[in-house]
mmCIF file of all heavy atoms in Angstrom:
data_model
loop_
_atom_site.group_PDB
_atom_site.id
_atom_site.type_symbol
_atom_site.label_atom_id
_atom_site.label_comp_id
_atom_site.label_asym_id
_atom_site.label_seq_id
_atom_site.Cartn_x
_atom_site.Cartn_y
_atom_site.Cartn_z
ATOM 1 N N SER A 484 1.322 1.629 22.609
ATOM 2 C CA SER A 484 1.302 0.434 21.936
ATOM 3 C C SER A 484 2.135 0.499 20.759
ATOM 4 O O SER A 484 1.828 1.328 19.830
ATOM 5 C CB SER A 484 -0.085 -0.059 21.591
ATOM 6 O OG SER A 484 -0.585 0.916 20.672
ATOM 7 N N TYR A 485 3.309 -0.257 20.707
ATOM 8 C CA TYR A 485 4.123 -0.182 19.506
ATOM 9 C C TYR A 485 3.647 -1.091 18.444
ATOM 10 O O TYR A 485 4.114 -1.067 17.334
ATOM 11 C CB TYR A 485 5.627 -0.381 19.929
ATOM 12 C CG TYR A 485 6.229 0.841 20.315
ATOM 13 C CD1 TYR A 485 6.251 1.226 21.616
ATOM 14 C CD2 TYR A 485 6.825 1.739 19.333
ATOM 15 C CE1 TYR A 485 6.879 2.402 22.048
ATOM 16 C CE2 TYR A 485 7.391 2.889 19.740
ATOM 17 C CZ TYR A 485 7.383 3.197 21.045
ATOM 18 O OH TYR A 485 8.006 4.383 21.449
ATOM 19 N N TRP A 486 2.917 -2.098 18.933
ATOM 20 C CA TRP A 486 2.759 -3.150 18.035
ATOM 21 C C TRP A 486 1.230 -3.129 17.549
ATOM 22 O O TRP A 486 0.389 -2.696 18.224
ATOM 23 C CB TRP A 486 2.900 -4.477 18.653
ATOM 24 C CG TRP A 486 2.640 -5.578 17.687
ATOM 25 C CD1 TRP A 486 3.471 -6.122 16.745
ATOM 26 C CD2 TRP A 486 1.362 -6.194 17.502
ATOM 27 N NE1 TRP A 486 2.829 -6.899 15.991
ATOM 28 C CE2 TRP A 486 1.495 -7.034 16.356
ATOM 29 C CE3 TRP A 486 0.077 -6.062 17.995
ATOM 30 C CZ2 TRP A 486 0.437 -7.838 15.825
ATOM 31 C CZ3 TRP A 486 -0.938 -6.743 17.399
ATOM 32 C CH2 TRP A 486 -0.677 -7.656 16.416
ATOM 33 N N PRO A 487 0.934 -3.454 16.261
ATOM 34 C CA PRO A 487 1.865 -3.801 15.233
ATOM 35 C C PRO A 487 2.453 -2.688 14.459
ATOM 36 O O PRO A 487 3.409 -2.790 13.794
ATOM 37 C CB PRO A 487 0.969 -4.555 14.143
ATOM 38 C CG PRO A 487 -0.382 -3.928 14.372
ATOM 39 C CD PRO A 487 -0.446 -3.476 15.829
ATOM 40 N N GLY A 488 1.952 -1.397 14.770
ATOM 41 C CA GLY A 488 2.554 -0.235 14.120
ATOM 42 C C GLY A 488 2.983 0.775 15.106
ATOM 43 O O GLY A 488 2.233 1.209 15.827
ATOM 44 N N SER A 489 4.294 1.133 14.974
ATOM 45 C CA SER A 489 4.600 2.374 15.739
ATOM 46 C C SER A 489 4.347 3.574 14.714
ATOM 47 O O SER A 489 3.890 3.338 13.628
ATOM 48 C CB SER A 489 5.984 2.349 16.215
ATOM 49 O OG SER A 489 6.855 2.091 15.142
ATOM 50 N N LEU A 490 4.601 4.745 15.189
ATOM 51 C CA LEU A 490 4.029 5.790 14.402
ATOM 52 C C LEU A 490 4.878 6.124 13.223
ATOM 53 O O LEU A 490 5.607 7.184 13.165
ATOM 54 C CB LEU A 490 3.932 7.084 15.329
ATOM 55 C CG LEU A 490 3.230 6.687 16.561
ATOM 56 C CD1 LEU A 490 4.004 7.228 17.706
ATOM 57 C CD2 LEU A 490 1.799 7.197 16.533
ATOM 58 N N LEU A 491 4.854 5.373 12.135
ATOM 59 C CA LEU A 491 5.641 5.601 10.959
ATOM 60 C C LEU A 491 5.094 6.585 10.048
ATOM 61 O O LEU A 491 5.602 7.722 9.838
ATOM 62 C CB LEU A 491 6.107 4.311 10.256
ATOM 63 C CG LEU A 491 7.048 3.509 11.117
ATOM 64 C CD1 LEU A 491 7.394 2.236 10.432
ATOM 65 C CD2 LEU A 491 8.353 4.242 11.436
ATOM 66 N N PHE A 492 3.956 6.108 9.450
ATOM 67 C CA PHE A 492 3.394 7.081 8.404
ATOM 68 C C PHE A 492 1.981 7.339 8.751
ATOM 69 O O PHE A 492 1.252 6.504 9.368
ATOM 70 C CB PHE A 492 3.456 6.231 7.117
ATOM 71 C CG PHE A 492 4.819 5.912 6.670
ATOM 72 C CD1 PHE A 492 5.362 4.633 6.891
ATOM 73 C CD2 PHE A 492 5.596 6.876 6.050
ATOM 74 C CE1 PHE A 492 6.597 4.326 6.520
ATOM 75 C CE2 PHE A 492 6.858 6.564 5.665
ATOM 76 C CZ PHE A 492 7.402 5.254 5.898
ATOM 77 N N ALA A 493 1.517 8.487 8.404
ATOM 78 C CA ALA A 493 0.034 8.667 8.547
ATOM 79 C C ALA A 493 -0.445 10.056 8.177
ATOM 80 O O ALA A 493 0.173 10.774 7.311
ATOM 81 C CB ALA A 493 -0.399 8.500 9.938
ATOM 82 N N SER A 494 -1.596 10.398 8.636
ATOM 83 C CA SER A 494 -2.421 11.555 8.104
ATOM 84 C C SER A 494 -1.560 12.681 7.884
ATOM 85 O O SER A 494 -0.935 13.258 8.748
ATOM 86 C CB SER A 494 -3.420 11.859 9.146
ATOM 87 O OG SER A 494 -3.835 13.177 9.000
ATOM 88 N N ARG A 495 -1.630 13.181 6.630
ATOM 89 C CA ARG A 495 -0.702 14.203 6.301
ATOM 90 C C ARG A 495 -1.215 15.629 6.360
ATOM 91 O O ARG A 495 -0.536 16.504 6.585
ATOM 92 C CB ARG A 495 -0.316 13.988 4.796
ATOM 93 C CG ARG A 495 0.808 12.924 4.689
ATOM 94 C CD ARG A 495 0.759 12.375 3.281
ATOM 95 N NE ARG A 495 2.112 11.779 3.003
ATOM 96 C CZ ARG A 495 2.496 10.748 3.394
ATOM 97 N NH1 ARG A 495 1.796 9.968 4.258
ATOM 98 N NH2 ARG A 495 3.736 10.161 3.010
ATOM 99 N N TRP A 496 -2.614 15.767 6.305
ATOM 100 C CA TRP A 496 -3.004 17.159 6.214
ATOM 101 C C TRP A 496 -3.672 17.587 7.411
ATOM 102 O O TRP A 496 -4.142 18.803 7.458
ATOM 103 C CB TRP A 496 -3.613 17.380 4.897
ATOM 104 C CG TRP A 496 -5.099 17.552 4.763
ATOM 105 C CD1 TRP A 496 -6.166 17.069 5.517
ATOM 106 C CD2 TRP A 496 -5.747 18.290 3.683
ATOM 107 N NE1 TRP A 496 -7.306 17.356 4.961
ATOM 108 C CE2 TRP A 496 -7.062 18.249 3.838
ATOM 109 C CE3 TRP A 496 -5.163 19.071 2.617
ATOM 110 C CZ2 TRP A 496 -7.967 18.829 3.021
ATOM 111 C CZ3 TRP A 496 -6.066 19.694 1.833
ATOM 112 C CH2 TRP A 496 -7.377 19.535 1.935
#
Side-chain angles (χ1 to χ4, degrees):
Chain A
S484 61
Y485 273 92
W486 180 87
S489 54
L490 311 133
L491 287 182
F492 299 96
S494 156
R495 278 158 157 76
W496 106 330

